[in-house]
């Protein structure tokens, strides 16, 4: 009887060791897949050059915030083509990264900033009382990064009847009005 009991115990222990190995492997695979999934989500929603969120992620966040009616703004780097042509594309990339980081720093937790594409950025500010001051601070802070770099900003408040297209058209129009009126300024529409 003892040998029979010993036989079952020995086989049961081997069985558990085998199952523990399988469970350990499954846990390792699950953890790796989870980390990979998070990494792929980050890649899909983040602009590689600036580290800011990309336009798809921004659109998803803003569409959830429409009812809160934040101030939405869009800006681009003035004379960016000239910067690229005279100082090189590596410097142009550095300018975009610096401007993006400065915008994110200035807007902070009051809203968010994303790279829209090329040298254009977009964002919103939730705090209605501080929004205009925040944009003025952004304009001045970018100017302080490099005396050759300025931005033109278009900004708008969301109206209850607005959809995403209407908002984007207005901020884009405001940004181009800023450019037409001499650049390095904010135009509210």
């Amino acid at each position: 009887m003892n040998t029979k009991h010993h036989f079952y115990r020995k086989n049961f222990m081997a069985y558990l060791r085998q199952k523990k190995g399988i469970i350990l492997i499954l846990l390792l695979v699950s953890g790796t897949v989870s980390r990979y999934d998070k990494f792929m989500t980050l890649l899909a929603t983040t602009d590689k050059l600036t580290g800011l969120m990309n336009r798809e992620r921004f659109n998803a966040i803003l569409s959830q915030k429409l009812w809160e009616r934040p101030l939405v703004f869009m800006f681009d780097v003035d004379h960016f083509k000239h910067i690229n042509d005279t100082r090189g594309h590596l410097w142009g990339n550095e300018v975009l990264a610096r401007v993006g980081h400065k915008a994110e720093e200035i807007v902070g937790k009051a809203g968010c900033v994303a790279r829209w594409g090329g040298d254009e950025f977009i964002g919103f500010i939730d705090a209605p009382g501080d929004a205009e001051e925040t944009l003025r601070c952004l304009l001045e802070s970018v100017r302080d990064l490099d005396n050759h770099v300025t931005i033109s900003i278009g900004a708008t408040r969301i109206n209850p009847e607005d959809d995403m297209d209407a908002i984007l058209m207005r901020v884009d129009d405001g940004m181009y009005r800023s450019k037409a009126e001499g650049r390095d300024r904010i135009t509210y529409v």
Side-chain angles (χ1 to χ4, degrees):
M1 194 104 150
N2 265 343
T3 52
K4 189 175 180 183
H5 183 267
H6 179 68
F7 173 78
Y8 286 127
R9 184 168 186 243
K10 183 178 170 185
N11 284 339
F12 182 70
M13 294 306 284
Y15 175 78
L16 281 181
R17 278 193 298 277
Q18 181 183 17
K19 291 298 179 191
K20 282 182 183 177
I22 291 171
I23 291 170
L24 180 60
I25 289 170
L26 289 174
L27 287 173
L28 289 172
V29 167
S30 174
T32 301
V33 168
S34 177
R35 281 192 306 279
Y36 179 77
D37 185 49
K38 287 177 184 173
F39 176 70
M40 293 307 289
T41 299
L42 183 66
L43 281 179
T45 60
T46 305
D47 176 67
K48 185 178 177 181
L49 179 65
T50 62
L52 297 174
M53 69 178 69
N54 63 18
R55 71 190 300 161
E56 290 81 13
R57 184 169 165 207
F58 176 82
N59 283 342
I61 292 171
L62 182 60
S63 67
Q64 299 299 312
K65 293 250 180 203
L66 291 179
W67 65 274
E68 294 177 31
R69 299 176 57 191
L71 178 89
V72 180
F73 63 93
M74 179 181 275
F75 68 89
D76 75 357
V77 178
D78 295 330
H79 304 291
F80 185 70
K81 182 177 179 350
H82 180 74
I83 292 170
N84 264 345
D85 291 347
T86 59
R87 297 180 79 184
H89 291 279
L90 290 177
W91 178 248
N93 288 346
E94 181 66 22
V95 166
L96 292 175
R98 286 182 181 185
V99 167
H101 292 139
K102 182 54 72 174
E104 187 175 47
E105 176 187 315
I106 298 297
V107 171
K109 295 188 187 309
C112 73
V113 179
R115 180 155 177 226
W116 192 248
D119 65 326
E120 292 181 337
F121 296 82
I122 193 165
F124 66 81
I125 301 171
D126 282 325
D130 298 335
E132 287 81 9
E133 179 58 32
T134 300
L135 289 183
R136 272 193 300 281
C137 184
L138 173 60
L139 195 70
E140 293 166 8
S141 295
V142 168
R143 201 179 302 129
D144 291 343
L145 285 174
D146 183 316
N147 63 359
H148 300 289
V149 178
T150 59
I151 58 175
S152 294
I153 304 174
T156 191
R157 289 260 177 225
I158 295 177
N159 299 316
E161 68 278 358
D162 281 341
D163 61 9
M164 290 291 285
D165 289 339
I167 296 163
L168 295 174
M169 283 177 42
R170 279 203 314 277
V171 294
D172 193 50
D173 180 53
M175 182 180 69
Y176 282 101
R177 284 188 198 176
S178 286
K179 290 188 167 303
E181 294 171 9
R183 294 182 165 82
D184 192 23
R185 66 189 65 234
I186 305 165
T187 302
Y188 294 92
V189 289

